[in-house]
Structure formats: C-alpha cells, structure tokens
Amino acid sequence: MLRIEKILCPVDFSEYSVKAYDYAQSLAQHYGAKLLLQHVVQPMTSVYPYYAFPDALNEVFWSLETRAGEQLSEFVSAHHADGFETERFVHKGTVPDCILALADRQETDLIVMGTHGRHGFDHLTMGSVTEKVLRKAHCPVLVVRKPAHDFVKPGDAAEPVRLKKILYCTDFSDYSN
C-alpha cells in the first residue's frame, strides 16, 4: 500500500495553485502527512537564455525572493485550516528543476500541483511546468485543474478526502504498474 508521509505543493499564487493547495492540504490532513509548500522565483535569464538583459532587470528578479516569502506566508494565512502547519520553501531558478530537486531532497511521496498558471505566449514559449514535472518526477504527481469537482472538501479536518471516481490510464508498460 502506498504510504503518503510528505506532500509537495508548488504554488505560483494563481487560482490553479490555490485549488491544488486545497487538495494537498486535504490529503495531508487525511494521511497525517507533512505538507511542503514551494514557490520558485525564476529570473528572466533562465526563461529567455539567448536574450541579453540589463543587470538591473535581473537584480529586480533576484530581489523578488524576499517578497515571495512574504507572499507565501500571506497565501498560507488566507487558505489554510486552523492548526495545520506547512513547511515553506522559496527557491530561485527554473521552476521545474527547483520543484524536482526539492521533491528529491525531501523524499516526497506525492506532488500536488495545478495544471498551469501561465497563459498565452508565455505558456507556448516556456512549455508546461506541470508537464515537465510529470515526465521527470520520481514520485506520483496529482494534477489539479480549476474548477475543482465536488469530490473533495478542502479545509475540513473532520471530513476525509473522498474521491468518487479515479481515471487510470495505462500503456501496459512497467511504469504503469
């Protein structure tokens, strides 16, 4: 049986990551797991490596780390259940790499993340962070889209997670087991 002791939930403060956090928190409460919350500050040079940016612009992005920590605290205050603690991390670098690195370092049992936070041109040029994490993670990844279905009641510690339907897709490979 799968033991879930550590759950990683990366957030970008979008409505998608709010919904993913609701699921992660509900699952962590149900399994008595530790919830790890992560935000990644990504400098422009890592997104567009072939463009030359003034150093001042990159300094702005590096200084966002301090503000990101404050935003992460505000996010938890606005969306958490009473008496529930999360461990918070703010990292600088490329988003998928930082998520995967933290998951490996913390020996995470499950990653819960939103489908996407970016839209339009940014999504096309950078690709899907979620897709990259899905392909490379060494643990299961639960992808949550918004709007959420009514089969989870996040924030209610007395009510366990109840999944009515699970779609299992397989290609009959060793990974499917």
Side-chain angles (χ1 to χ4, degrees):
M1 182 168 162
L2 180 67
R3 292 180 46 101
I4 299 176
E5 296 176 355
K6 289 184 185 176
I7 299 173
L8 172 60
C9 182
V11 297
D12 62 4
F13 309 117
S14 69
E15 61 185 337
Y16 298 94
S17 61
V18 170
K19 201 45 71 181
Y21 179 71
D22 288 342
Y23 277 68
Q25 182 175 241
S26 184
L27 287 165
Q29 288 175 335
H30 177 74
Y31 288 102
K34 180 187 245 184
L35 181 57
L36 312 172
L37 195 61
Q38 180 187 34
H39 178 73
V40 179
V41 177
Q42 182 165 301
M44 293 296 289
T45 54
S46 65
V47 179
Y48 302 102
Y50 302 109
Y51 292 100
F53 292 100
D55 288 339
L57 183 59
N58 282 322
E59 286 177 30
V60 168
F61 280 94
W62 291 118
S63 68
L64 288 176
E65 184 177 26
T66 302
R67 179 64 186 129
E70 295 167 4
Q71 281 183 294
L72 204 52
S73 294
E74 292 167 8
F75 179 88
V76 170
S77 295
H79 302 287
H80 82 288
D82 291 333
F84 189 76
E85 293 297 319
T86 59
E87 194 170 338
R88 302 169 204 160
F89 300 88
V90 175
H91 294 111
K92 293 185 280 191
T94 57
V95 179
D97 293 339
C98 288
I99 292 169
L100 294 166
L102 181 62
D104 286 344
R105 260 193 327 273
Q106 293 289 324
E107 298 178 353
T108 302
D109 300 305
L110 176 67
I111 299 172
V112 179
M113 60 190 302
T115 51
H116 55 77
R118 289 187 160 83
H119 302 286
F121 184 71
D122 280 346
H123 177 72
L124 290 174
T125 59
M126 289 185 276
S128 169
V129 169
T130 306
E131 182 179 345
K132 291 174 185 172
V133 171
L134 276 168
R135 291 183 185 277
K136 296 182 179 182
H138 293 111
C139 65
V141 179
L142 172 63
V143 178
V144 178
R145 70 176 192 90
K146 188 178 182 313
H149 299 286
D150 60 357
F151 49 72
V152 172
K153 292 186 178 183
D156 186 356
E159 185 71 28
V161 173
R162 292 186 184 172
L163 301 174
K164 292 180 186 175
K165 296 178 184 178
I166 296 174
L167 175 62
Y168 170 70
C169 302
T170 183
D171 62 359
F172 304 109
S173 68
D174 290 338
Y175 295 108
S176 295
N177 290 332

